[in-house]
Amino acid sequence: MLEGQLRRNTRQKRVILRSVEQLGCHPTAVQIYNTVRKVLPRTSLSTVYRNLGILVDQGKIRAVKGAGSEIHYDHNTGAHNHIECTVCGRVCDVHMDPVDIDTMNPETVSNFIVMEVRMNILGICPECAEQLEKEKLQ
Amino acid sequence: MLEGQLRRNTRQKRVILRSVEQLGCHPTAVQIYNTVRKVLPRTSLSTVYRNLGILVDQGKIRAVKGAGSEIHYDHNTGAHNHIECTVCGRVCDVHMDPVDIDTMNPETVSNFIVMEVRMNILGICPECAEQLEKEKLQ
DNA sequence: CCCTATAATAGGAATAATTCTTAATACGAA
DNA sequence: TTCGTATTAAGAATTATTCCTATTATAGGG
């Protein structure tokens, strides 16, 4: 007897989750789409978005917003923060001591009930820094 | 003799800056647009966006990205962070000790050159918390 | 104060990322 | 295998923002 929202384990969903895991460096929906299509060429972008949404809801992956307008997806669901390259847009992990929510002064946070603290760090990745250095020498 | 990029001080630009200052609570482009149109009804949304971009470039206001897809604008250009209500989307200020970039371990930040640390806090604002409490009692 | 060059504007089209719609497909319980 | 329905493909729709172009109006110089 089927009841409620049955979650089918489709090929598309499996390949999408595997792509997020394998791409590693916080891919965007389009990057995941391109990877998935190497295995399942008829997969549509809507399907990728829908399944990414489901996987986020299920807590299997995390959605990460950076400075740009695209959403990045992260297979590491543990508590950690991100650093984004302002040149190439790449997103990498940062492992810092988490901010202790309970010790935050209510006045400091405009009397909000704090749920989550996200640290978004902007910087230049080693590859882009090297490239910029090369260009400067010319 | 006019040379280079002359920055004209137009009525639209003045009213847009004033609106950002007066609205206070980190308005979006559309909220600013609605306010500006009360004074200058023929102002277009493009003009609002263009001037907000110029004002950001000039360092007169700051662009703030939250969890939603809209950009918020902040007349307070000093170093501070933001807390966003997950219910109504409102953005408020948070004044915490800034993270000291220079003491960050290169390994911690994947060897990036760190430019800026942005703390984005998610929570529930006092008004929405009160509203939710009321609904729970019913 | 008026002229004139040109920066800035209004209005709407274009773009980019994401979400929605609908008929067709295929998963999986029996 | 069969069948009910969750999921898909394809493309339209939506949302926020940026771009385009003819027109307007600011500000420096006469």
Side-chain angles (χ1 to χ4, degrees):
Chain A
M1 196 184 288
L2 304 180
E3 61 173 358
Q5 287 288 96
L6 193 146
R7 294 260 95 132
R8 289 184 182 164
N9 185 18
T10 60
R11 258 144 69 65
Q12 286 85 345
K13 188 183 290 176
R14 282 196 302 274
V15 175
I16 288 167
L17 178 54
R18 186 147 50 81
S19 297
V20 177
E21 288 166 355
Q22 291 183 348
L23 281 169
C25 203
H26 309 76
T28 62
V30 173
Q31 291 174 313
I32 295 161
Y33 169 72
N34 289 330
T35 305
V36 168
R37 279 176 77 93
K38 288 179 188 160
V39 183
L40 300 171
R42 291 174 51 74
T43 306
S44 72
L45 193 49
S46 322
T47 296
V48 172
Y49 273 111
R50 184 166 16 77
N51 279 300
L52 288 172
I54 291 169
L55 291 167
V56 169
D57 284 347
Q58 294 180 338
K60 293 190 181 165
I61 61 175
R62 236 174 80 176
V64 180
K65 284 217 178 192
S69 51
E70 318 92 324
I71 299 173
H72 295 256
Y73 295 89
D74 187 353
H75 71 282
N76 175 1
T77 56
H80 67 283
N81 294 293
H82 297 101
I83 184 162
E84 182 172 1
C85 178
T86 53
V87 180
C88 67
R90 159 193 333 222
V91 174
C92 291
D93 287 343
V94 171
H95 294 277
M96 309 177 62
D97 294 335
V99 176
D100 187 353
I101 290 174
D102 301 328
T103 63
M104 290 175 102
N105 185 335
E107 219 170 88
T108 305
V109 294
S110 305
N111 294 301
F112 275 50
I113 300 168
V114 177
M115 310 293 284
E116 195 184 341
V117 177
R118 291 185 187 169
M119 207 107 76
N120 269 77
I121 310 181
L122 297 176
I124 302 175
C125 73
E127 287 76 5
C128 286
E130 192 183 352
Q131 186 63 35
L132 289 173
E133 198 56 38
K134 263 189 205 153
E135 284 168 18
K136 214 195 301 176
L137 291 176
Q138 284 175 355
Chain B
M1 198 182 288
L2 304 180
E3 61 174 359
Q5 287 287 97
L6 192 146
R7 294 260 96 131
R8 288 183 181 165
N9 185 17
T10 61
R11 258 144 68 64
Q12 286 85 344
K13 187 183 291 176
R14 282 195 302 274
V15 174
I16 288 166
L17 177 55
R18 186 148 50 80
S19 297
V20 177
E21 288 167 353
Q22 289 183 348
L23 281 168
C25 202
H26 307 76
T28 62
V30 173
Q31 291 175 314
I32 295 160
Y33 169 71
N34 289 330
T35 306
V36 168
R37 280 177 77 94
K38 287 178 189 160
V39 183
L40 301 171
R42 290 175 52 74
T43 305
S44 72
L45 194 49
S46 322
T47 296
V48 173
Y49 274 111
R50 184 167 15 76
N51 278 300
L52 287 172
I54 291 168
L55 292 168
V56 169
D57 284 347
Q58 294 180 338
K60 293 190 180 164
I61 62 176
R62 236 174 79 175
V64 180
K65 284 217 179 192
S69 50
E70 318 92 327
I71 300 172
H72 296 256
Y73 294 89
D74 186 353
H75 71 282
N76 175 0
T77 55
H80 68 283
N81 294 294
H82 296 102
I83 184 163
E84 182 170 2
C85 179
T86 53
V87 181
C88 67
R90 156 193 335 218
V91 174
C92 290
D93 287 344
V94 170
H95 295 277
M96 310 176 64
D97 294 334
V99 176
D100 187 353
I101 290 174
D102 300 328
T103 64
M104 289 174 106
N105 184 333
E107 219 168 89
T108 304
V109 293
S110 305
N111 295 302
F112 275 51
I113 301 167
V114 177
M115 311 293 283
E116 194 184 342
V117 177
R118 291 185 187 169
M119 207 105 76
N120 269 76
I121 308 180
L122 297 176
I124 302 174
C125 74
E127 286 77 5
C128 286
E130 191 183 352
Q131 187 62 35
L132 289 173
E133 197 57 40
K134 263 189 205 155
E135 284 168 17
K136 215 195 301 177
L137 292 176
Q138 283 176 357

